[in-house]
């Protein structure tokens, strides 16, 4: 794999200028067999053109956090890597602030990238004007609200992930559970609201009386703040704690481990921060949405007229295997909820 130097933003230093020290471009020496399969699938482009050859495509992603956060950004990075495995050239920038996102998007578009993924909805207002200046580049906004020409949005069902985390109230023995979110953007607000609705659901469905405490710290990167927040909830009586704070989630899981309570994770691998406390992880695998939209683009079929939602119905939101000893009743009830959710039989308010 060949590394090429590209422009990256020094977001970690809170500067708005671009620097040339961190963007990564990765190019496959040869397209794998899956590339040929993609070519053979055919399909027409939105305006009647032929399907694009995957090996000739350039795809970039701009991340608001680190690609190894074990959560939101890492799953999207995995999606980008699956695009590379399909034969496309990829590039990315990580830890990019909202205000620097437009310049990052402009950089990739001016370099001729076909697709640019914007991985946090807080980029939307900054990057929609860029799309108008580069009509030959398609911008895919994750958790956006706009579909307008070459700027399209897909919505990840954050509320479903939060809801299932809230269903973990089934595990509580004290009757108190806690949720710690990060930056107060719409996906985290939806996840927090979903958590409360999940708690309410098990209370009404199974005759429980569990109370939920929900706090958003305002940061995705302050691990210590997230940890202290979780500890304060635990000291208030919660015996189940659950995060939705990207990089900072590790602090919340650590709090559960140190205080000897149960933890319900939100990202694959988070059990390593709480090997004893972790009981299950409710995954929101955005890689599926990333790869799906790329496949549609390669076939010339990425031309939605409205925002499409990816959740349990598409396998994006799901639960891992359980960790440690958990009663069978809790396992059965959670799986029943997931099955109903996938069929659209669970109503979750988006307020």
């Amino acid at each position: 794999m060949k590394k090429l130097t590209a422009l990256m933003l020094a977001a970690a230093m809170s500067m708005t200028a671009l620097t040339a020290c961190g963007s990564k471009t990765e190019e496959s020496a040869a397209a794998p067999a899956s590339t040929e399969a993609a070519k053979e699938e055919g399909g027409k482009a939105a305006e009647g053109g032929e399907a694009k050859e995957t090996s000739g495509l350039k795809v970039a992603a701009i991340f608001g956090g680190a690609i190894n956060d074990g959560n939101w950004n890492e799953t999207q990075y995995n999606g980008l890597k699956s695009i590379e495995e399909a034969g496309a050239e990829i590039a990315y920038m990580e830890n990019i602030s909202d205000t620097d996102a437009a310049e990052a998007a402009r950089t990739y578009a001016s370099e001729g990238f076909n697709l640019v993924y914007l991985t946090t909805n807080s980029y939307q207002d900054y990057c929609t004007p860029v799309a108008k200046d580069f009509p030959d580049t398609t911008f895919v906004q994750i958790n956006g609200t706009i579909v307008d020409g070459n700027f399209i949005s897909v919505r990840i069902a954050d509320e479903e992930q939060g809801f299932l985390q809230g269903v973990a109230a089934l595990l509580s023995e004290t009757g108190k559970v806690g949720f710690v979110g990060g930056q107060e953007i719409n996906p985290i607000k939806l996840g927090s609201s979903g958590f409360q609705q999940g708690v309410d659901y098990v209370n009404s469905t199974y005759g429980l009386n569990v109370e939920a405490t929900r706090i958003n710290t305002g940061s995705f990167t302050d691990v210590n703040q997230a940890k202290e927040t979780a500890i304060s909830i635990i000291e208030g009586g919660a015996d189940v704690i659950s995060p939705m704070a990207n990089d900072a989630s590790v602090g919340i899981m650590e709090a559960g481990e140190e205080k000897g309570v149960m933890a319900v994770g939100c990202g694959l691998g988070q059990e390593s921060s709480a090997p004893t406390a972790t009981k299950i992880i409710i995954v929101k695998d955005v890689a599926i949405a990333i790869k799906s939209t790329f496949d549609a683009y390669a076939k010339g079929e990425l031309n939605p007229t409205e925002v499409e939602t990816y959740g349990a119905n598409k396998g994006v939101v799901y639960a891992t295997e359980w960790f440690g000893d958990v009663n069978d009743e809790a396992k059965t009830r959670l799986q029943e909820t997931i099955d109903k959710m996938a069929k659209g039989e669970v109503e979750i308010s988006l307020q």
Side-chain angles (χ1 to χ4, degrees):
M1 185 161 40
K2 184 170 58 181
K3 300 284 185 180
L4 301 176
T5 302
L7 205 58
M8 180 176 180
L9 304 169
M13 300 175 61
S14 299
M15 297 175 62
T16 57
L18 285 170
T19 69
C21 64
S23 179
K24 300 179 179 66
T25 302
E26 302 180 6
E27 183 177 2
S28 298
S34 58
T35 302
E36 295 303 319
K39 292 178 185 178
E40 292 173 3
E41 287 181 0
K44 298 294 183 179
E47 296 180 359
E50 294 296 326
K52 303 167 183 63
E53 291 190 3
T54 307
S55 60
L57 296 178
K58 297 174 65 178
V59 183
I62 303 169
F63 298 97
I67 60 170
N68 62 348
D69 64 357
N71 197 343
W72 177 255
N73 293 293
E74 187 167 338
T75 63
Q76 294 188 85
Y77 176 68
N78 291 339
L80 186 65
K81 292 294 289 183
S82 71
I83 289 173
E84 181 184 43
E85 291 170 2
E89 175 186 341
I90 68 168
Y92 65 90
M93 299 182 190
E94 56 184 323
N95 295 311
I96 303 304
S97 69
D98 296 346
T99 53
D100 289 335
E103 191 59 34
R106 190 175 296 277
T107 296
Y108 282 132
S110 64
E111 292 176 355
F113 278 78
N114 305 97
L115 275 173
V116 176
Y117 285 91
L118 308 170
T119 65
T120 173
N121 79 320
S122 56
Y123 288 167
Q124 178 171 281
D125 290 346
Y126 297 95
C127 293
T128 46
V130 179
K132 297 183 183 302
D133 293 337
F134 294 92
D136 293 332
T137 298
T138 296
F139 296 83
V140 181
Q141 175 68 67
I142 302 298
N143 272 338
T145 59
I146 296 173
V147 174
D148 184 13
N150 63 322
F151 191 97
I152 72 168
S153 296
V154 296
R155 197 181 79 79
I156 309 302
D158 304 281
E159 70 283 355
E160 291 187 5
Q161 183 185 36
F163 189 95
L164 294 177
Q165 288 174 260
V167 171
L170 287 164
L171 301 175
S172 179
E173 297 177 358
T174 65
K176 294 183 178 181
V177 297
F179 172 97
V180 181
Q183 187 178 343
E184 294 189 62
I185 59 176
N186 196 52
I188 302 304
K189 291 179 181 178
L190 287 173
S192 177
S193 173
F195 183 86
Q196 181 65 62
Q197 292 178 67
V199 172
D200 293 342
Y201 175 83
V202 296
N203 282 342
S204 62
T205 303
Y206 303 113
L208 303 181
N209 187 26
V210 179
E211 298 178 7
T213 298
R214 299 174 292 137
I215 300 176
N216 292 332
T217 66
S219 173
F220 286 138
T221 58
D222 194 331
V223 175
N224 289 332
Q225 180 189 21
K227 185 174 183 177
E228 291 302 315
T229 301
I231 288 174
S232 71
I233 296 175
I234 294 167
E235 290 179 343
D239 64 343
V240 180
I241 195 75
S242 196
M244 192 179 285
N246 291 6
D247 302 48
S249 293
V250 65
I252 301 156
M253 300 296 287
E254 288 176 350
E257 185 74 9
E258 291 180 14
K259 290 297 182 178
V261 302
M262 293 174 279
V264 177
C266 64
L268 293 173
Q270 286 181 348
E271 69 276 9
S272 63
S273 299
T276 303
T278 304
K279 294 303 177 185
I280 196 167
I281 294 173
I282 306 300
V283 181
K284 185 172 54 187
D285 192 351
V286 194
I288 295 171
I290 296 284
K291 185 58 164 56
S292 177
T293 50
F294 169 76
D295 289 343
Y297 179 85
K299 296 176 186 177
E301 297 174 355
L302 187 62
N303 54 346
T305 58
E306 60 184 18
V307 179
E308 187 173 6
T309 297
Y310 288 74
N313 61 331
K314 295 181 179 292
V316 170
V317 176
Y318 65 92
T320 64
E321 297 294 326
W322 292 88
F323 299 90
D325 294 329
V326 177
N327 68 76
D328 290 337
E329 183 178 63
K331 294 179 179 180
T332 299
R333 288 175 173 178
L334 178 65
Q335 189 57 54
E336 288 175 349
T337 305
I338 294 172
D339 293 343
K340 289 179 180 178
M341 183 177 287
K343 296 175 183 176
E345 297 175 359
V346 176
E347 292 186 12
I348 309 174
S349 171
L350 300 182
Q351 298 298 322

